[in-house]
Amino acid sequence: MKIFLSILTLIGFFIGCNNSTTSKSVKSLKKEKVIQIQDEIKIILNSNDLMQFDKKVLSARPGQKVTLTLNHTGRGNKMIMGHNFVLLKSGVDVDVFARKAVEARNTEYIPEGDEMIAYTKLIGGGESVTISFEAPEKGIYNFICTFPAHYQLMSGQLIVK
Ligand SMILES: [Cu+2]
């Protein structure tokens, strides 16, 4: 009888252990999921036929995966009213870069060089484009549309903090 009881206790002990391990791993799984969601941010940026972005300020955390969708809600043909999103590295002179970009007509106003953190292709009315990039270190980064004569109106800042 004594042996039987101790076997029962032993079984109970094992079951107890298993249960606690299972609930523990479920808990840590849930935690990981929450962290993953926070590590990605989705941004929707709209542009229109009036040469406007609907946001002047975007924000992200350092190292966060940024998935950005640029929509062109207008009707303009991309050769006349094309838009893109070009995110510049810190310290890049926006005016100098924009002048260089205008020359890059063959590559839809994306110039060669390493001044950009990320960029989309050029889109026309009714089109959308999505890109993903890693948010840089803390700082303030300029973004513009590089289509000729657009950046004075179509610019903003990504604030990473
Ligand atoms: Cu534009």
Side-chain angles (χ1 to χ4, degrees):
M1 187 62 187
K2 237 184 186 175
I3 291 167
F4 180 65
L5 269 180
S6 50
I7 287 173
L8 265 187
T9 327
L10 220 58
I11 289 170
F13 177 72
F14 276 122
I15 289 171
C17 268
N18 277 344
N19 277 347
S20 69
T21 348
T22 317
S23 62
K24 228 182 204 171
S25 60
V26 166
K27 259 184 202 162
S28 64
L29 267 180
K30 273 184 187 164
K31 223 178 190 178
E32 272 171 29
K33 235 182 183 175
V34 170
I35 290 166
Q36 273 174 1
I37 289 165
Q38 287 173 340
D39 275 347
E40 187 177 352
I41 184 167
K42 287 186 162 62
I43 295 174
I44 293 172
L45 183 64
N46 297 306
S47 57
N48 62 23
D49 283 341
L50 300 171
M51 289 190 267
Q52 294 165 326
F53 282 131
D54 70 340
K55 294 177 190 79
K56 285 277 175 192
V57 176
L58 309 175
S59 51
R61 290 192 296 109
Q64 205 170 26
K65 184 188 173 192
V66 180
T67 300
L68 181 136
T69 298
L70 173 68
N71 298 317
H72 190 320
T73 60
R75 292 176 167 200
N77 182 283
K78 84 168 177 181
M79 300 317 290
I80 297 160
M81 188 48 74
H83 299 314
N84 62 14
F85 166 90
V86 176
L87 181 64
L88 299 175
K89 289 182 179 172
S90 66
V92 174
D93 186 301
V94 176
D95 296 298
V96 171
F97 178 83
R99 276 200 293 275
K100 184 174 153 185
V102 169
E103 304 291 316
R105 201 191 164 117
N106 291 339
T107 49
E108 296 189 325
Y109 311 109
I110 299 297
E112 277 184 39
D114 65 345
E115 298 103 327
M116 296 169 286
I117 294 169
Y119 62 89
T120 68
K121 64 173 184 173
L122 193 69
I123 57 169
E127 294 181 322
S128 290
V129 62
T130 298
I131 55 162
S132 287
F133 60 92
E134 192 179 300
E137 60 186 56
K138 284 182 187 177
I140 298 174
Y141 302 85
N142 292 309
F143 69 84
I144 59 170
C145 169
T146 60
F147 193 90
H150 282 201
Y151 84 97
Q152 284 95 340
L153 286 173
M154 302 189 74
S155 65
Q157 291 179 322
L158 170 71
I159 296 172
V160 183
K161 58 180 179 184

